[in-house]
Short mmCIF file of all heavy atoms in Angstrom, two decimals:
data_model
loop_
_atom_site.label_atom_id
_atom_site.label_comp_id
_atom_site.label_asym_id
_atom_site.label_seq_id
_atom_site.Cartn_x
_atom_site.Cartn_y
_atom_site.Cartn_z
N MET A 1 0.82 -1.18 0.00
CA MET A 1 0.00 0.00 0.00
C MET A 1 0.87 1.25 0.00
O MET A 1 0.50 2.24 -0.63
CB MET A 1 -0.93 0.01 1.20
CG MET A 1 -2.07 -0.99 1.11
SD MET A 1 -3.18 -0.93 2.51
CE MET A 1 -4.15 0.49 2.13
N LYS A 2 1.98 1.20 0.73
CA LYS A 2 2.84 2.37 0.78
C LYS A 2 3.39 2.72 -0.59
O LYS A 2 3.53 3.89 -0.93
CB LYS A 2 3.98 2.14 1.77
CG LYS A 2 3.56 2.14 3.21
CD LYS A 2 4.74 1.93 4.12
CE LYS A 2 4.29 1.87 5.56
NZ LYS A 2 5.41 1.72 6.48
N PHE A 3 3.69 1.69 -1.40
CA PHE A 3 4.22 1.92 -2.73
C PHE A 3 3.18 2.60 -3.60
O PHE A 3 3.47 3.54 -4.35
CB PHE A 3 4.69 0.60 -3.35
CG PHE A 3 5.24 0.76 -4.73
CD1 PHE A 3 6.46 1.39 -4.93
CD2 PHE A 3 4.53 0.29 -5.82
CE1 PHE A 3 6.97 1.52 -6.21
CE2 PHE A 3 5.04 0.42 -7.09
CZ PHE A 3 6.26 1.05 -7.29
N LYS A 4 1.92 2.13 -3.53
CA LYS A 4 0.84 2.73 -4.31
C LYS A 4 0.59 4.18 -3.89
O LYS A 4 0.36 5.03 -4.72
CB LYS A 4 -0.45 1.92 -4.17
CG LYS A 4 -0.40 0.60 -4.87
CD LYS A 4 -0.37 0.80 -6.37
CE LYS A 4 -0.43 -0.53 -7.08
NZ LYS A 4 -0.27 -0.40 -8.52
N VAL A 5 0.63 4.44 -2.59
CA VAL A 5 0.43 5.81 -2.10
C VAL A 5 1.55 6.71 -2.61
O VAL A 5 1.31 7.85 -3.03
CB VAL A 5 0.35 5.82 -0.56
CG1 VAL A 5 0.40 7.24 -0.02
CG2 VAL A 5 -0.90 5.12 -0.09
N ALA A 6 2.77 6.21 -2.61
CA ALA A 6 3.90 6.99 -3.12
C ALA A 6 3.74 7.29 -4.61
O ALA A 6 4.03 8.39 -5.07
CB ALA A 6 5.21 6.26 -2.87
N GLN A 7 3.22 6.31 -5.36
CA GLN A 7 2.99 6.53 -6.79
C GLN A 7 1.92 7.60 -7.01
O GLN A 7 2.07 8.47 -7.86
CB GLN A 7 2.53 5.23 -7.47
CG GLN A 7 3.64 4.29 -7.77
CD GLN A 7 3.09 3.05 -8.49
OE1 GLN A 7 1.94 2.66 -8.30
NE2 GLN A 7 3.92 2.44 -9.31
N ILE A 8 0.85 7.53 -6.24
CA ILE A 8 -0.23 8.51 -6.38
C ILE A 8 0.27 9.90 -6.01
O ILE A 8 -0.02 10.88 -6.70
CB ILE A 8 -1.43 8.11 -5.51
CG1 ILE A 8 -2.08 6.84 -6.08
CG2 ILE A 8 -2.46 9.23 -5.42
CD1 ILE A 8 -3.11 6.23 -5.20
N ASN A 9 1.06 10.00 -4.93
CA ASN A 9 1.61 11.30 -4.54
C ASN A 9 2.53 11.85 -5.61
O ASN A 9 2.52 13.05 -5.90
CB ASN A 9 2.36 11.17 -3.22
CG ASN A 9 1.43 11.04 -2.06
OD1 ASN A 9 0.28 11.45 -2.12
ND2 ASN A 9 1.91 10.46 -0.97
N ASP A 10 3.30 10.99 -6.26
CA ASP A 10 4.19 11.42 -7.32
C ASP A 10 3.39 11.95 -8.51
O ASP A 10 3.72 12.99 -9.07
CB ASP A 10 5.09 10.27 -7.76
CG ASP A 10 6.13 10.69 -8.78
OD1 ASP A 10 6.75 11.78 -8.57
OD2 ASP A 10 6.31 9.98 -9.78
N ILE A 11 2.33 11.27 -8.87
CA ILE A 11 1.48 11.72 -9.98
C ILE A 11 0.83 13.07 -9.64
O ILE A 11 0.78 13.97 -10.48
CB ILE A 11 0.42 10.65 -10.31
CG1 ILE A 11 1.09 9.42 -10.91
CG2 ILE A 11 -0.65 11.20 -11.23
CD1 ILE A 11 0.18 8.22 -11.03
N LEU A 12 0.36 13.20 -8.41
CA LEU A 12 -0.27 14.46 -8.02
C LEU A 12 0.74 15.61 -8.02
O LEU A 12 0.41 16.74 -8.40
CB LEU A 12 -0.92 14.32 -6.64
CG LEU A 12 -2.17 13.44 -6.59
CD1 LEU A 12 -2.62 13.27 -5.15
CD2 LEU A 12 -3.28 14.06 -7.41
N ARG A 13 1.96 15.36 -7.59
CA ARG A 13 2.99 16.40 -7.61
C ARG A 13 3.28 16.85 -9.02
O ARG A 13 3.44 18.04 -9.29
CB ARG A 13 4.27 15.90 -6.93
CG ARG A 13 4.21 15.95 -5.44
CD ARG A 13 5.59 15.77 -4.84
NE ARG A 13 5.42 15.50 -3.43
CZ ARG A 13 5.58 14.35 -2.85
NH1 ARG A 13 5.95 13.30 -3.55
NH2 ARG A 13 5.39 14.21 -1.56
N ARG A 14 3.38 15.89 -9.94
CA ARG A 14 3.63 16.24 -11.34
C ARG A 14 2.46 17.01 -11.94
O ARG A 14 2.65 17.89 -12.77
CB ARG A 14 3.94 14.99 -12.16
CG ARG A 14 5.37 14.53 -11.93
CD ARG A 14 5.73 13.43 -12.89
NE ARG A 14 5.48 12.16 -12.21
CZ ARG A 14 5.10 11.04 -12.80
NH1 ARG A 14 4.91 11.03 -14.09
NH2 ARG A 14 4.90 9.96 -12.11
N ALA A 15 1.25 16.69 -11.51
CA ALA A 15 0.07 17.39 -12.02
C ALA A 15 0.05 18.85 -11.56
O ALA A 15 -0.48 19.71 -12.24
CB ALA A 15 -1.19 16.68 -11.58
N GLU A 16 0.63 19.12 -10.40
CA GLU A 16 0.65 20.48 -9.85
C GLU A 16 1.79 21.32 -10.43
O GLU A 16 1.87 22.50 -10.17
CB GLU A 16 0.79 20.43 -8.32
CG GLU A 16 -0.41 19.86 -7.61
CD GLU A 16 -1.60 20.77 -7.67
OE1 GLU A 16 -1.41 22.00 -7.66
OE2 GLU A 16 -2.72 20.25 -7.75
N PHE A 17 2.69 20.68 -11.17
CA PHE A 17 3.85 21.34 -11.77
C PHE A 17 4.78 21.97 -10.73
O PHE A 17 5.43 22.97 -11.00
CB PHE A 17 3.42 22.40 -12.80
CG PHE A 17 2.64 21.84 -13.92
CD1 PHE A 17 1.28 22.09 -14.01
CD2 PHE A 17 3.22 21.01 -14.86
CE1 PHE A 17 0.54 21.57 -15.04
CE2 PHE A 17 2.48 20.48 -15.90
CZ PHE A 17 1.14 20.75 -15.99
N THR A 18 4.78 21.45 -9.55
CA THR A 18 5.73 21.88 -8.53
C THR A 18 6.46 20.65 -8.01
O THR A 18 5.95 19.54 -8.05
CB THR A 18 5.03 22.57 -7.34
OG1 THR A 18 4.11 21.67 -6.75
CG2 THR A 18 4.29 23.83 -7.80
N SER A 19 7.64 20.88 -7.50
CA SER A 19 8.45 19.74 -7.08
C SER A 19 7.97 19.18 -5.74
O SER A 19 7.96 17.98 -5.53
CB SER A 19 9.92 20.13 -6.99
OG SER A 19 10.08 21.16 -6.03
N GLU A 20 7.57 20.02 -4.81
CA GLU A 20 7.14 19.54 -3.49
C GLU A 20 5.84 20.21 -3.09
O GLU A 20 5.75 20.90 -2.09
CB GLU A 20 8.22 19.83 -2.44
CG GLU A 20 9.47 19.00 -2.58
CD GLU A 20 9.21 17.53 -2.40
OE1 GLU A 20 8.38 17.16 -1.55
OE2 GLU A 20 9.85 16.73 -3.10
N ALA A 21 4.81 20.04 -3.88
CA ALA A 21 3.51 20.64 -3.57
C ALA A 21 2.93 19.95 -2.33
O ALA A 21 3.09 18.76 -2.14
CB ALA A 21 2.57 20.47 -4.74
N ASP A 22 2.28 20.73 -1.49
CA ASP A 22 1.62 20.16 -0.32
C ASP A 22 0.34 19.48 -0.74
O ASP A 22 -0.58 20.11 -1.26
CB ASP A 22 1.32 21.25 0.72
CG ASP A 22 2.56 21.73 1.43
OD1 ASP A 22 3.53 20.94 1.50
OD2 ASP A 22 2.57 22.87 1.91
N ILE A 23 0.31 18.20 -0.54
CA ILE A 23 -0.85 17.39 -0.91
C ILE A 23 -1.54 16.95 0.38
O ILE A 23 -0.88 16.41 1.27
CB ILE A 23 -0.41 16.16 -1.73
CG1 ILE A 23 0.30 16.62 -3.00
CG2 ILE A 23 -1.61 15.28 -2.04
CD1 ILE A 23 0.98 15.51 -3.73
N PRO A 24 -2.83 17.20 0.47
CA PRO A 24 -3.52 16.73 1.69
C PRO A 24 -3.41 15.22 1.79
O PRO A 24 -3.65 14.51 0.81
CB PRO A 24 -4.96 17.17 1.50
CG PRO A 24 -5.02 17.85 0.21
CD PRO A 24 -3.69 17.86 -0.44
N ARG A 25 -3.06 14.74 2.95
CA ARG A 25 -2.87 13.30 3.14
C ARG A 25 -3.73 12.81 4.29
O ARG A 25 -4.03 13.54 5.22
CB ARG A 25 -1.41 13.02 3.47
CG ARG A 25 -0.48 13.29 2.34
CD ARG A 25 0.94 12.86 2.70
NE ARG A 25 1.77 12.89 1.54
CZ ARG A 25 2.56 13.91 1.23
NH1 ARG A 25 2.62 14.94 1.98
NH2 ARG A 25 3.30 13.86 0.13
N ILE A 26 -4.11 11.57 4.19
CA ILE A 26 -4.82 10.91 5.28
C ILE A 26 -3.90 9.80 5.77
O ILE A 26 -3.47 8.95 5.00
CB ILE A 26 -6.14 10.31 4.80
CG1 ILE A 26 -7.08 11.41 4.29
CG2 ILE A 26 -6.81 9.52 5.91
CD1 ILE A 26 -8.36 10.89 3.69
N HIS A 27 -3.59 9.82 7.04
CA HIS A 27 -2.74 8.79 7.61
C HIS A 27 -3.54 7.51 7.78
O HIS A 27 -4.74 7.54 8.03
CB HIS A 27 -2.17 9.25 8.94
CG HIS A 27 -1.28 10.45 8.81
ND1 HIS A 27 -0.03 10.39 8.27
CD2 HIS A 27 -1.48 11.75 9.13
CE1 HIS A 27 0.52 11.59 8.26
NE2 HIS A 27 -0.36 12.45 8.77
N PHE A 28 -2.86 6.38 7.67
CA PHE A 28 -3.54 5.10 7.79
C PHE A 28 -4.17 4.93 9.17
O PHE A 28 -5.19 4.29 9.32
CB PHE A 28 -2.58 3.95 7.53
CG PHE A 28 -2.18 3.84 6.08
CD1 PHE A 28 -0.88 4.02 5.70
CD2 PHE A 28 -3.12 3.57 5.12
CE1 PHE A 28 -0.50 3.92 4.38
CE2 PHE A 28 -2.77 3.47 3.79
CZ PHE A 28 -1.47 3.65 3.42
N GLN A 29 -3.59 5.56 10.20
CA GLN A 29 -4.14 5.45 11.53
C GLN A 29 -5.46 6.18 11.64
O GLN A 29 -6.33 5.81 12.43
CB GLN A 29 -3.16 6.04 12.57
CG GLN A 29 -1.87 5.28 12.72
CD GLN A 29 -0.84 5.68 11.66
OE1 GLN A 29 -1.04 6.64 10.92
NE2 GLN A 29 0.26 4.94 11.59
N ASP A 30 -5.65 7.23 10.83
CA ASP A 30 -6.88 8.03 10.89
C ASP A 30 -8.01 7.42 10.08
O ASP A 30 -9.16 7.86 10.18
CB ASP A 30 -6.61 9.45 10.39
CG ASP A 30 -5.61 10.17 11.26
OD1 ASP A 30 -5.47 9.81 12.45
OD2 ASP A 30 -4.96 11.11 10.76
N MET A 31 -7.73 6.43 9.25
CA MET A 31 -8.75 5.86 8.37
C MET A 31 -9.62 4.81 9.07
O MET A 31 -10.68 4.46 8.56
CB MET A 31 -8.10 5.21 7.15
CG MET A 31 -7.55 6.21 6.19
SD MET A 31 -6.76 5.55 4.73
CE MET A 31 -7.36 3.94 4.52
N ASN A 32 -9.20 4.29 10.21
CA ASN A 32 -9.94 3.24 10.91
C ASN A 32 -10.21 2.05 9.99
O ASN A 32 -11.32 1.54 9.92
CB ASN A 32 -11.24 3.77 11.51
CG ASN A 32 -10.99 4.86 12.51
OD1 ASN A 32 -10.03 4.82 13.25
ND2 ASN A 32 -11.86 5.86 12.53
N LEU A 33 -9.18 1.63 9.29
CA LEU A 33 -9.30 0.56 8.31
C LEU A 33 -9.79 -0.74 8.92
O LEU A 33 -10.61 -1.45 8.32
CB LEU A 33 -7.94 0.35 7.61
CG LEU A 33 -7.90 -0.65 6.47
CD1 LEU A 33 -8.82 -0.18 5.34
CD2 LEU A 33 -6.49 -0.80 5.95
N GLU A 34 -9.39 -1.04 10.13
CA GLU A 34 -9.78 -2.30 10.76
C GLU A 34 -11.29 -2.36 10.99
O GLU A 34 -11.91 -3.40 10.89
CB GLU A 34 -9.02 -2.54 12.05
CG GLU A 34 -9.23 -1.51 13.15
CD GLU A 34 -8.29 -0.32 13.07
OE1 GLU A 34 -7.52 -0.22 12.13
OE2 GLU A 34 -8.36 0.51 14.00
N TYR A 35 -11.92 -1.22 11.27
CA TYR A 35 -13.38 -1.20 11.47
C TYR A 35 -14.12 -1.45 10.16
O TYR A 35 -15.13 -2.15 10.12
CB TYR A 35 -13.83 0.11 12.10
CG TYR A 35 -13.28 0.32 13.49
CD1 TYR A 35 -12.50 1.42 13.79
CD2 TYR A 35 -13.54 -0.61 14.49
CE1 TYR A 35 -12.00 1.60 15.06
CE2 TYR A 35 -13.04 -0.45 15.77
CZ TYR A 35 -12.26 0.67 16.06
OH TYR A 35 -11.76 0.83 17.30
N TYR A 36 -13.61 -0.87 9.06
CA TYR A 36 -14.23 -1.10 7.76
C TYR A 36 -14.06 -2.57 7.33
O TYR A 36 -14.98 -3.17 6.78
CB TYR A 36 -13.63 -0.18 6.70
CG TYR A 36 -14.07 1.25 6.88
CD1 TYR A 36 -13.17 2.23 7.32
CD2 TYR A 36 -15.38 1.65 6.63
CE1 TYR A 36 -13.57 3.53 7.49
CE2 TYR A 36 -15.78 2.95 6.79
CZ TYR A 36 -14.88 3.90 7.21
OH TYR A 36 -15.27 5.17 7.38
N LEU A 37 -12.88 -3.14 7.61
CA LEU A 37 -12.68 -4.55 7.27
C LEU A 37 -13.59 -5.45 8.10
O LEU A 37 -14.16 -6.41 7.57
CB LEU A 37 -11.21 -4.93 7.49
CG LEU A 37 -10.21 -4.32 6.51
CD1 LEU A 37 -8.79 -4.65 6.95
CD2 LEU A 37 -10.46 -4.83 5.11
N LEU A 38 -13.73 -5.15 9.37
CA LEU A 38 -14.60 -5.94 10.24
C LEU A 38 -16.06 -5.81 9.80
O LEU A 38 -16.78 -6.82 9.74
CB LEU A 38 -14.45 -5.52 11.71
CG LEU A 38 -15.29 -6.26 12.72
CD1 LEU A 38 -14.93 -7.73 12.76
CD2 LEU A 38 -15.14 -5.65 14.10
N ALA A 39 -16.49 -4.61 9.47
CA ALA A 39 -17.87 -4.41 9.01
C ALA A 39 -18.10 -5.17 7.70
O ALA A 39 -19.17 -5.79 7.52
CB ALA A 39 -18.14 -2.92 8.81
N GLY A 40 -17.14 -5.16 6.79
CA GLY A 40 -17.27 -5.90 5.55
C GLY A 40 -17.36 -7.39 5.78
O GLY A 40 -18.12 -8.11 5.11
N LEU A 41 -16.58 -7.89 6.73
CA LEU A 41 -16.62 -9.30 7.07
C LEU A 41 -17.98 -9.70 7.62
O LEU A 41 -18.57 -10.71 7.22
CB LEU A 41 -15.52 -9.64 8.09
CG LEU A 41 -15.51 -11.07 8.60
CD1 LEU A 41 -15.08 -12.02 7.50
CD2 LEU A 41 -14.58 -11.18 9.79
N VAL A 42 -18.52 -8.89 8.53
CA VAL A 42 -19.81 -9.19 9.14
C VAL A 42 -20.92 -9.15 8.10
O VAL A 42 -21.76 -10.05 8.03
CB VAL A 42 -20.09 -8.23 10.32
CG1 VAL A 42 -21.51 -8.36 10.81
CG2 VAL A 42 -19.10 -8.48 11.44
N VAL A 43 -20.93 -8.10 7.28
CA VAL A 43 -21.98 -7.96 6.26
C VAL A 43 -21.87 -9.10 5.25
O VAL A 43 -22.88 -9.70 4.86
CB VAL A 43 -21.90 -6.59 5.57
CG1 VAL A 43 -22.79 -6.53 4.35
CG2 VAL A 43 -22.26 -5.49 6.54
N GLY A 44 -20.67 -9.44 4.83
CA GLY A 44 -20.48 -10.53 3.89
C GLY A 44 -20.91 -11.88 4.45
O GLY A 44 -21.52 -12.68 3.75
N ALA A 45 -20.61 -12.10 5.72
CA ALA A 45 -21.02 -13.35 6.36
C ALA A 45 -22.54 -13.44 6.46
O ALA A 45 -23.14 -14.49 6.18
CB ALA A 45 -20.39 -13.46 7.74
N LEU A 46 -23.18 -12.34 6.83
CA LEU A 46 -24.65 -12.34 6.93
C LEU A 46 -25.30 -12.56 5.57
O LEU A 46 -26.25 -13.35 5.45
CB LEU A 46 -25.15 -11.04 7.55
CG LEU A 46 -24.85 -10.85 9.03
CD1 LEU A 46 -25.26 -9.46 9.48
CD2 LEU A 46 -25.56 -11.90 9.86
N LEU A 47 -24.80 -11.89 4.54
CA LEU A 47 -25.36 -12.09 3.20
C LEU A 47 -25.17 -13.52 2.72
O LEU A 47 -26.05 -14.11 2.11
CB LEU A 47 -24.73 -11.10 2.23
CG LEU A 47 -25.19 -9.66 2.33
CD1 LEU A 47 -24.40 -8.76 1.40
CD2 LEU A 47 -26.68 -9.55 2.05
N SER A 48 -24.00 -14.08 2.99
CA SER A 48 -23.74 -15.47 2.59
C SER A 48 -24.67 -16.42 3.30
O SER A 48 -25.19 -17.37 2.68
CB SER A 48 -22.29 -15.85 2.90
OG SER A 48 -21.41 -15.07 2.15
N MET A 49 -24.91 -16.20 4.58
CA MET A 49 -25.83 -17.06 5.32
C MET A 49 -27.24 -16.97 4.78
O MET A 49 -27.93 -17.98 4.64
CB MET A 49 -25.80 -16.69 6.81
CG MET A 49 -24.51 -17.09 7.50
SD MET A 49 -24.33 -16.43 9.16
CE MET A 49 -25.81 -16.96 9.95
N ILE A 50 -27.68 -15.76 4.44
CA ILE A 50 -29.03 -15.57 3.91
C ILE A 50 -29.16 -16.26 2.56
O ILE A 50 -30.14 -16.97 2.29
CB ILE A 50 -29.37 -14.08 3.81
CG1 ILE A 50 -29.53 -13.49 5.21
CG2 ILE A 50 -30.64 -13.86 2.99
CD1 ILE A 50 -29.60 -11.98 5.24
N ILE A 51 -28.19 -16.08 1.68
CA ILE A 51 -28.23 -16.67 0.36
C ILE A 51 -28.19 -18.20 0.43
O ILE A 51 -28.95 -18.89 -0.23
CB ILE A 51 -27.08 -16.13 -0.52
CG1 ILE A 51 -27.34 -14.66 -0.83
CG2 ILE A 51 -26.93 -16.92 -1.81
CD1 ILE A 51 -26.16 -13.95 -1.48
N LEU A 52 -27.30 -18.73 1.26
CA LEU A 52 -27.18 -20.19 1.37
C LEU A 52 -28.43 -20.79 2.02
O LEU A 52 -28.85 -21.89 1.68
CB LEU A 52 -25.93 -20.56 2.15
CG LEU A 52 -24.62 -20.28 1.42
CD1 LEU A 52 -23.44 -20.57 2.33
CD2 LEU A 52 -24.53 -21.10 0.14
N LYS A 53 -29.03 -20.09 2.96
CA LYS A 53 -30.25 -20.59 3.59
C LYS A 53 -31.37 -20.66 2.60
O LYS A 53 -32.12 -21.65 2.54
CB LYS A 53 -30.63 -19.68 4.76
CG LYS A 53 -31.82 -20.17 5.54
CD LYS A 53 -32.12 -19.28 6.72
CE LYS A 53 -33.32 -19.82 7.48
NZ LYS A 53 -33.66 -18.96 8.61
N LYS A 54 -31.52 -19.64 1.74
CA LYS A 54 -32.57 -19.67 0.73
C LYS A 54 -32.34 -20.78 -0.29
O LYS A 54 -33.27 -21.45 -0.69
CB LYS A 54 -32.65 -18.31 0.02
CG LYS A 54 -33.28 -17.24 0.86
CD LYS A 54 -33.42 -15.96 0.06
CE LYS A 54 -34.09 -14.90 0.90
NZ LYS A 54 -34.29 -13.63 0.18
N SER A 55 -31.11 -20.98 -0.71
CA SER A 55 -30.84 -22.02 -1.71
C SER A 55 -31.04 -23.41 -1.11
O SER A 55 -31.46 -24.32 -1.82
CB SER A 55 -29.44 -21.87 -2.29
OG SER A 55 -28.47 -22.12 -1.30
N SER A 56 -30.75 -23.60 0.16
CA SER A 56 -30.96 -24.91 0.76
C SER A 56 -32.45 -25.18 0.96
O SER A 56 -32.90 -26.33 0.88
CB SER A 56 -30.22 -25.02 2.09
OG SER A 56 -30.78 -24.15 3.05
N ASN A 57 -33.26 -24.14 1.20
CA ASN A 57 -34.70 -24.31 1.33
C ASN A 57 -35.31 -24.73 0.00
O ASN A 57 -36.24 -25.52 -0.05
CB ASN A 57 -35.37 -23.03 1.83
CG ASN A 57 -35.14 -22.81 3.30
OD1 ASN A 57 -34.81 -23.73 4.03
ND2 ASN A 57 -35.29 -21.57 3.74
N ILE A 58 -34.80 -24.19 -1.09
CA ILE A 58 -35.30 -24.53 -2.41
C ILE A 58 -34.97 -26.00 -2.73
O ILE A 58 -35.81 -26.73 -3.26
CB ILE A 58 -34.70 -23.60 -3.48
CG1 ILE A 58 -35.24 -22.18 -3.29
CG2 ILE A 58 -35.02 -24.08 -4.89
CD1 ILE A 58 -34.55 -21.12 -4.13
N LYS A 59 -33.79 -26.46 -2.39
CA LYS A 59 -33.41 -27.85 -2.64
C LYS A 59 -34.25 -28.81 -1.81
O LYS A 59 -34.57 -29.91 -2.25
CB LYS A 59 -31.92 -28.06 -2.32
CG LYS A 59 -31.01 -27.43 -3.34
CD LYS A 59 -29.56 -27.65 -2.98
CE LYS A 59 -28.64 -26.98 -3.98
NZ LYS A 59 -27.23 -27.13 -3.61
N ASN A 60 -34.58 -28.43 -0.57
CA ASN A 60 -35.38 -29.31 0.29
C ASN A 60 -36.81 -29.45 -0.21
O ASN A 60 -37.47 -30.46 0.05
CB ASN A 60 -35.39 -28.77 1.72
CG ASN A 60 -34.04 -28.94 2.40
OD1 ASN A 60 -33.25 -29.78 2.01
ND2 ASN A 60 -33.78 -28.13 3.41
N LYS A 61 -37.33 -28.45 -0.90
CA LYS A 61 -38.70 -28.51 -1.39
C LYS A 61 -38.84 -29.38 -2.63
O LYS A 61 -39.90 -29.85 -2.93
CB LYS A 61 -39.22 -27.09 -1.72
CG LYS A 61 -39.45 -26.27 -0.47
CD LYS A 61 -39.96 -24.87 -0.83
CE LYS A 61 -40.16 -24.05 0.44
NZ LYS A 61 -40.64 -22.71 0.13
N ILE A 62 -37.75 -29.59 -3.34
CA ILE A 62 -37.79 -30.38 -4.58
C ILE A 62 -37.84 -31.85 -4.32
O ILE A 62 -37.63 -32.53 -3.53
CB ILE A 62 -36.59 -30.05 -5.49
CG1 ILE A 62 -36.70 -28.61 -5.94
CG2 ILE A 62 -36.53 -30.98 -6.68
CD1 ILE A 62 -35.56 -28.15 -6.79
#
């Protein structure tokens, strides 16, 4: 991720036509990435359970 962020910062600096333009940055600690990952895991697990439950009900009726 650090490499990709460095690439993006380099592209933005070149777009500004300055060598060291101040680019607003978000630190990884401020993004609360672990909460978004946990929320995605929970939502994905719930959706998978709902989908699998419906498909197993259809098979049982046949």
Side-chain angles (χ1 to χ4, degrees):
M1 287 181 78
K2 289 182 182 181
F3 180 70
K4 289 292 185 186
V5 170
Q7 280 182 332
I8 292 170
N9 286 336
D10 185 45
I11 291 169
L12 290 173
R13 280 194 194 106
R14 282 189 265 149
E16 293 290 326
F17 300 108
T18 60
S19 61
E20 291 297 323
D22 287 334
I23 300 169
R25 293 185 169 96
I26 298 175
H27 297 288
F28 289 117
Q29 294 83 8
D30 297 336
M31 288 180 22
N32 299 324
L33 186 61
E34 62 272 5
Y35 295 121
Y36 289 109
L37 290 173
L38 180 62
L41 176 69
V42 170
V43 170
L46 289 174
L47 286 175
S48 296
M49 289 170 54
I50 291 169
I51 291 170
L52 291 175
K53 184 177 180 181
K54 285 184 179 182
S55 66
S56 67
N57 285 340
I58 293 170
K59 287 180 182 177
N60 289 338
K61 290 180 181 180
I62 295 178

